[in-house]
Amino acid sequence: MGIKLQGNKIYLPKLGWMRFYNSRPIPDGFTIKACTVRERQNGWYISIRIEDKSIPEYSTKLRSDNPKVIGCDLGITKLVHLSDGHQIENPKFATTKKAKRTLKIRQRRISRKVKGSKNRKKAAIRVGRFHQKIGNKRQAHQWKTANKIVSRNVDVIALENLNISGMMRRCKVKTNEKTGRFLKNGQSRKKGLNRSISDAGWGELILKIEYLAVKQGKITMKINPKHSSQECRNCGHIDKSNRDGEKFICVECGYHEHADIGAAKTIRDRALKIVRGDSAKLGASHLNAQKTSPRSKSKRGEFGNLSNQDIKVAKS
């Protein structure tokens, strides 16, 4: 690679020697494989990837025939619901009233400055630093949350296989065939949900959980979360009217529990069936045991257009 280190100086190809803050010394026996230089709002940062070929590669395997599995259900009201009943708070760093007001004031100050002026650049830097501060807080909280989940006495961590980009996709445009005017398609209501999903950072949290799980020799599984919060764990009945916010009350048998914790338990059970070798029977038993209500069929017919109840359920 041509990268060299000497104390607080680093040599980069095509750039030469430059000073930097060496936060951590490279351990003995490791060689530099690559480095990444990036610019952030408060300066330039460099990260170095190192490798020691004498360390053997470790592949995670199940430690016992009866492994312990924990299910994780991601949400917005609470960031993570675990199948053991534990809930992790969602700080909502960017969607709080104070954060929105601060960002609004600083962005307004930019618009009132003369274009191309130094004062406008200074105001833009303040907005960038505010975004960086929120990002740093979110990242620190995600590392703590991931460590809290992975450090539990389990062998397998079951996560939701979410299509986050699809969940945040804009609603399809609706127009009146006669007049050609635009009709309401629910995008103004879905905008707040999209912001909350983006602020929660589910994708980054899942990556951190997978990273820490590999370091501790644990297995992570991504499970299809379809109907996990609408399926009755007692009789297998599926109906979106079973759920009302955070409450789950089966309209068929009357079984009730916390909706998100019940969803985490359903994800855990699905992972257990796969781990124990019942994955071939999972599809058939799932269809035979569950009864889908005709009321649960959507009448929208268009991807991304959510009803009031769908948005209420997704936010919880």
Side-chain angles (χ1 to χ4, degrees):
M1 287 294 297
I3 302 168
K4 303 174 185 177
L5 283 175
Q6 288 183 3
N8 62 342
K9 292 184 179 180
I10 185 170
Y11 178 83
L12 299 175
K14 299 183 181 180
L15 295 177
W17 288 98
M18 58 181 61
R19 289 181 298 172
F20 80 113
Y21 175 71
N22 193 357
S23 59
R24 263 191 301 180
I26 297 178
D28 296 333
F30 284 84
T31 57
I32 299 175
K33 297 295 293 183
C35 73
T36 303
V37 181
R38 61 172 180 164
E39 182 185 12
R40 300 192 71 184
Q41 286 76 8
N42 61 345
W44 291 83
Y45 289 80
I46 182 168
S47 58
I48 301 173
R49 182 160 56 91
I50 58 178
E51 180 187 21
D52 188 358
K53 294 184 178 179
S54 63
I55 299 176
E57 294 184 1
Y58 179 76
S59 59
T60 55
K61 296 180 181 179
L62 290 176
R63 301 174 183 176
S64 63
D65 297 333
N66 189 18
K68 296 180 181 179
V69 181
I70 190 169
C72 302
D73 178 77
L74 304 177
I76 293 174
T77 305
K78 305 286 185 182
L79 184 59
V80 184
H81 304 265
L82 301 178
S83 56
D84 58 1
H86 187 74
Q87 296 176 328
I88 300 175
E89 294 290 335
N90 183 13
K92 301 180 181 178
F93 296 108
T95 54
T96 57
K97 189 175 181 180
K98 182 179 179 181
K100 287 180 179 179
R101 185 174 180 273
T102 304
L103 185 60
K104 181 180 178 181
I105 292 172
R106 294 191 181 184
Q107 287 176 335
R108 187 167 58 203
R109 287 174 182 171
I110 295 177
S111 63
R112 291 180 177 178
K113 300 290 188 297
V114 179
K115 289 185 178 180
S117 64
K118 291 185 178 180
N119 287 334
R120 188 181 178 95
K121 292 179 181 178
K122 291 178 184 178
I125 290 173
R126 291 197 68 192
V127 173
R129 287 180 178 175
F130 181 71
H131 281 296
Q132 183 187 10
K133 186 177 180 180
I134 290 175
N136 292 340
K137 286 181 178 179
R138 184 186 296 114
Q139 192 173 31
H141 182 263
Q142 286 180 346
W143 280 116
K144 292 178 182 177
T145 302
N147 189 42
K148 194 180 295 183
I149 295 172
V150 176
S151 61
R152 292 178 175 269
N153 186 22
V154 294
D155 301 317
V156 180
I157 302 171
L159 303 168
E160 290 182 288
N161 189 14
L162 297 174
N163 181 15
I164 300 173
S165 60
M167 295 171 68
M168 296 177 61
R169 194 175 300 169
R170 291 182 62 86
C171 300
K172 189 175 181 180
V173 177
K174 291 183 179 180
T175 55
N176 192 330
E177 296 180 357
K178 295 182 179 179
T179 61
R181 291 187 173 183
F182 292 108
L183 301 175
K184 292 184 178 180
N185 62 347
Q187 179 59 35
S188 59
R189 291 180 287 115
K190 192 172 182 292
K191 180 172 63 175
L193 176 62
N194 291 348
R195 287 177 179 173
S196 299
I197 294 174
S198 178
D199 186 31
W202 292 338
E204 290 294 325
L205 177 60
I206 290 173
L207 289 176
K208 290 177 175 63
I209 292 173
E210 292 175 343
Y211 172 78
L212 291 178
V214 171
K215 290 184 71 175
Q216 296 192 20
K218 298 181 180 180
I219 296 175
T220 56
M221 297 179 62
K222 288 190 175 181
I223 306 299
N224 184 9
K226 187 176 182 180
H227 301 311
S228 59
S229 62
Q230 300 175 6
E231 175 188 346
C232 179
R233 293 177 46 76
N234 186 37
C235 65
H237 178 69
I238 296 177
D239 192 348
K240 67 179 181 181
S241 60
N242 287 344
R243 177 167 181 169
D244 181 16
E246 294 184 355
K247 299 178 182 177
F248 181 91
I249 303 175
C250 182
V251 297
E252 189 79 8
C253 66
Y255 176 77
H256 61 89
E257 66 175 340
H258 192 284
D260 294 310
I261 294 178
K265 292 179 180 178
T266 302
I267 292 169
R268 177 199 62 191
D269 294 344
R270 293 178 183 178
L272 272 172
K273 290 183 180 180
I274 297 175
V275 169
R276 291 173 179 171
D278 298 336
S279 56
K281 304 177 183 178
L282 180 59
S285 62
H286 200 62
L287 292 174
N288 295 331
Q290 296 168 349
K291 297 174 285 182
T292 305
S293 172
R295 289 179 293 174
S296 63
K297 295 181 179 179
S298 175
K299 296 181 180 179
R300 297 189 303 269
E302 295 177 356
F303 182 83
N305 296 332
L306 302 180
S307 63
N308 291 330
Q309 186 176 1
D310 292 336
I311 292 177
K312 186 178 179 182
V313 170
K315 281 191 173 184
S316 61

